[in-house]
């Protein structure tokens, strides 16, 4: 590939932003053009940590977007800014890498999709980072290969107390976090939608939420989300961003010819087990444990799993490389605003369903959703 140099602007550079910036800087085809954070001290400190000049800092988004040689931005600010900042960057003609959630306002989410429809040459990506996890990739392929037959039920949990220490206290505030689904539970929904994509699409959502919060979240932190697929299969997501011990990313995929369980709270060799009429003679095998799996079915020892709270192990390099490769190839990502819209729609539908106390169809009726969410 004849790679051209890509000028990068960062929007936010805290915990996740610094991890991503380091991965961008590791690429020979990227040069940093600027960093926007409202707080000079924090912005300059982040630049120092990644070995860049403090002169890259700017205190205005408009100034960043007006810089010469800026091709792409990476948005890693608090959730409530993602929608407006991505739309400003799109209007300025930039490619956009956006941390999840894509937006906390429904109207901004619609505008992102509409922009992409009319400007397909601008590459966009929502960082549903578990898309790049090697266990999740394997699971998608196993389902596509029919190892479990037709999947009839799939459960994916996200229960993990999100970090609100120090400056991350913004995650408690309704106007900055948006909602608990977009904040984190969306990871489980993205895994569910991508795992099922070879067999079915979500068509209806029923959700309930609980406002009980130990740490002072201004939005309900506990969610039960039930997803119906267009072939009759069902999905369940148990979410909690407030409390728990460890990271519960439990998966149970149940099909007509097999099943897989991923238990993130178990010790590593026991975390994954599956059976398949097609592949294991209908016996349970543990593909991370050489003592309980035939050599031919063992997975590589470096197989990543989705239960690490450490973003460095959350495939940040793969996410950044994917975005840059999409730009270099001029090819839209499966995680673009439009291509990943169904994942966000399941989240919006869950918010509506919990308020209305009834199931909500997806894709949403945009007029109905707009009137529900306002704007
Ligand atoms: N995909 C993942 O696995 C993952 C993991 C962690 C965080 N995230 C996402 O990354 C984003 C940042 O989270 P974090 O944990 O790094 O938070 P953080 O508090 O550590 O960092 C926030 C950064 O945004 C800057 N900021 C504050 N207000 C801003 C504004 N108006 N415009 C631009 N920058 C602003 C701060 O100066 C800071 O640099 C969130 O959207 C979060 O959902 C994603």
């Amino acid at each position: 590939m004849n790679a051209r140099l890509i000028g990068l602007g960062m929007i936010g550079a805290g915990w996740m932003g610094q991890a991503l910036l380091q991965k961008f800087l590791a690429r020979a085809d990227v040069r940093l053009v600027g960093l926007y954070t409202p707080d000079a001290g924090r912005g300059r400190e982040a630049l120092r940590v990644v070995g860049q000049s403090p002169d890259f800092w700017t205190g205005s988004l408009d100034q960043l977007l007006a810089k010469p040689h800026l091709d792409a931005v990476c948005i890693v600010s608090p959730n409530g800014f993602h929608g407006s900042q991505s739309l400003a960057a799109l209007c300025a003609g930039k490619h956009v890498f956006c941390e999840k959630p894509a937006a906390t306002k429904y109207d901004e989410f619609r505008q992102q999709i509409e922009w992409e429809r009319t400007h397909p040459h601008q590459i966009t990506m929502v960082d549903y980072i578990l898309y790049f996890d090697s266990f999740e990739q394997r699971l998608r392929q196993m389902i596509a290969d029919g190892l479990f037959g037709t999947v009839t039920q799939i459960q994916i949990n996200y229960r993990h107390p999100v970090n609100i220490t120090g400056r991350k206290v913004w995650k408690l505030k309704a106007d900055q976090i948006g909602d608990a689904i977009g904040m984190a539970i969306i990871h489980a929904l993205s895994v569910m939608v991508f795992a099922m994509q070879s067999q079915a699409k979500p068509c209806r959502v029923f959700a309930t939420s609980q406002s009980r919060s130990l740490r002072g979240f201004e939005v309900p932190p506990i969610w039960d989300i039930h997803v119906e697929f267009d072939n009759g299969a069902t999905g369940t997501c148990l979410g909690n961003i407030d409390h728990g011990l460890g990271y519960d990313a439990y998966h149970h995929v149940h099909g007509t010819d097999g099943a897989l369980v991923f238990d993130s709270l178990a010790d590593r060799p026991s975390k994954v087990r599956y059976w398949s009429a097609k592949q294991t003679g209908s016996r349970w095998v543990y593909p991370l444990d050489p003592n309980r799996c035939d050599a031919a079915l063992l997975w590589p020892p470096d197989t990543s799993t989705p239960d690490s709270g450490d973003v460095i192990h959350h495939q940040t390099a793969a996410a950044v490389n994917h975005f840059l490769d999409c730009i270099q190839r001029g090819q839209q990502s499966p995680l673009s605003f439009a291509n990943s819209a169904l994942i966000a729609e399941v989240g919006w539908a869950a918010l509506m369903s919990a308020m209305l106390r009834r199931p909500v169809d997806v894709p949403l009726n945009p007029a109905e959703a707009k009137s529900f969410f306002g704007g």
Side-chain angles (χ1 to χ4, degrees), residues 21-43:
L21 178 53
Q22 276 165 339
K23 300 303 186 309
F24 275 109
L25 293 172
R27 284 271 298 223
D29 55 349
V30 169
R31 72 165 161 201
L32 185 64
V33 171
L35 159 67
Y36 162 57
T37 61
D39 173 346
R42 239 187 134 178

Side-chain angles (χ1 to χ4, degrees), residues 288-306:
L288 296 173
D289 186 351
N291 297 320
R292 287 182 288 175
C293 187
D294 294 343
L297 298 178
L298 267 181
W299 295 357
D302 63 352
T303 300
S304 64
T305 54

Side-chain angles (χ1 to χ4, degrees), residues 43-45 47-48 52-58:
R44 292 200 172 110
E45 171 60 12
L47 287 163
R48 192 194 58 76
Q52 297 292 310
S53 162
D55 297 342
F56 280 116
W57 176 78
T58 166

Side-chain angles (χ1 to χ4, degrees), residues 9 14 51 111 145 164 166 209 235 237 310 352:
Q111 287 179 53
D145 290 344
I164 52 154
S209 64
C237 171
D310 177 353
M352 285 179 76

Side-chain angles (χ1 to χ4, degrees), residues 113-127:
I113 293 169
E114 183 55 24
W115 188 277
E116 185 170 318
R117 200 181 61 73
T118 51
H119 301 76
H121 60 284
Q122 275 176 264
I123 303 303
T124 69
M125 173 178 155
V126 185
D127 189 18

Side-chain angles (χ1 to χ4, degrees), residues 10-18 20 35-39 42-43 46 61 75-82 85 99-101 127-130 158 163 165 167-171 176 182-184 187 309 311 314 316:
M10 290 298 294
I11 301 178
W15 182 59
M16 187 57 165
Q18 284 172 37
L20 289 170
L35 159 67
Y36 162 57
T37 61
D39 173 346
R42 239 187 134 178
L61 179 60
I75 300 174
V76 209
S77 52
N79 304 359
F81 301 103
H82 293 183
Q85 292 176 339
E99 258 313 325
K100 50 79 201 159
D127 189 18
Y128 294 122
I129 202 155
L130 293 182
Y158 184 103
N163 188 348
T165 53
R167 288 163 161 165
K168 284 185 259 302
V169 72
W170 62 263
K171 294 178 183 178
Q176 301 209 38
M183 178 69 234
H187 283 310
V311 291
H314 265 195
T316 44

Side-chain angles (χ1 to χ4, degrees), residues 81-351:
F81 301 103
H82 293 183
S84 60
Q85 292 176 339
S86 64
L87 289 167
L90 288 172
C91 288
K94 311 305 173 193
H95 306 296
V96 172
F97 177 111
C98 184
E99 258 313 325
K100 50 79 201 159
T104 57
K105 296 189 180 74
Y106 180 75
D107 192 44
E108 292 171 345
F109 162 71
R110 293 300 318 169
Q111 287 179 53
Q112 289 167 331
I113 293 169
E114 183 55 24
W115 188 277
E116 185 170 318
R117 200 181 61 73
T118 51
H119 301 76
H121 60 284
Q122 275 176 264
I123 303 303
T124 69
M125 173 178 155
V126 185
D127 189 18
Y128 294 122
I129 202 155
L130 293 182
Y131 182 79
F132 302 98
D133 180 78
S134 59
F135 163 79
E136 301 296 358
Q137 288 174 341
R138 200 173 267 278
L139 174 60
R140 284 202 292 276
Q141 195 57 50
M142 291 169 92
I143 293 175
D145 290 344
L147 289 193
F148 313 120
T150 301
V151 174
T152 52
Q153 292 165 311
I154 178 167
Q155 177 177 358
I156 316 279
N157 291 359
Y158 184 103
R159 285 195 287 223
H160 173 57
V162 301
N163 188 348
I164 52 154
T165 53
R167 288 163 161 165
K168 284 185 259 302
V169 72
W170 62 263
K171 294 178 183 178
L172 294 175
K173 305 281 170 220
D175 60 338
Q176 301 209 38
I177 189 176
D179 57 80
I181 298 174
M183 178 69 234
I185 298 166
I186 198 87
H187 283 310
L189 297 175
S190 74
V191 164
M192 188 188 291
V193 172
F194 280 124
M196 291 294 285
Q197 73 183 356
S198 57
Q199 299 199 354
K201 282 189 168 62
C203 63
R204 193 163 299 116
V205 176
F206 179 69
T208 56
S209 64
Q210 297 175 44
S211 297
R212 186 178 294 119
S213 168
L214 298 184
R215 296 188 295 163
F217 283 95
E218 291 179 358
V219 295
I222 303 173
W223 285 81
D224 286 42
I225 303 171
H226 184 269
V227 179
E228 202 178 313
F229 289 85
D230 57 8
N231 67 349
T234 53
T236 305
C237 171
L238 303 182
N240 184 334
I241 64 164
D242 192 21
H243 44 87
L245 183 58
Y247 182 3
D248 171 15
Y250 180 81
H251 293 32
H252 195 151
V253 176
H254 205 275
T256 51
D257 287 319
L260 177 143
V261 174
F262 167 67
D263 181 356
S264 52
L265 299 175
D267 292 336
R268 176 153 173 111
S270 302
K271 276 184 194 294
V272 184
R273 62 182 186 274
Y274 74 94
W275 69 270
S276 161
K278 197 168 165 181
Q279 195 181 60
T280 73
S282 299
R283 280 182 311 113
W284 284 99
V285 298
Y286 291 73
L288 296 173
D289 186 351
N291 297 320
R292 287 182 288 175
C293 187
D294 294 343
L297 298 178
L298 267 181
W299 295 357
D302 63 352
T303 300
S304 64
T305 54
D307 51 340
S308 164
D310 177 353
V311 291
I312 303 309
H313 293 116
H314 265 195
Q315 310 299 327
T316 44
V320 163
N321 289 338
H322 170 78
F323 174 64
L324 293 169
D325 293 346
C326 286
I327 295 176
Q328 295 290 9
R329 286 198 208 101
Q331 206 173 61
Q332 202 51 273
S333 163
L335 302 181
S336 75
F337 287 129
N339 291 340
S340 69
L342 197 50
I343 295 165
E345 291 240 350
V346 172
W348 294 113
L351 294 173

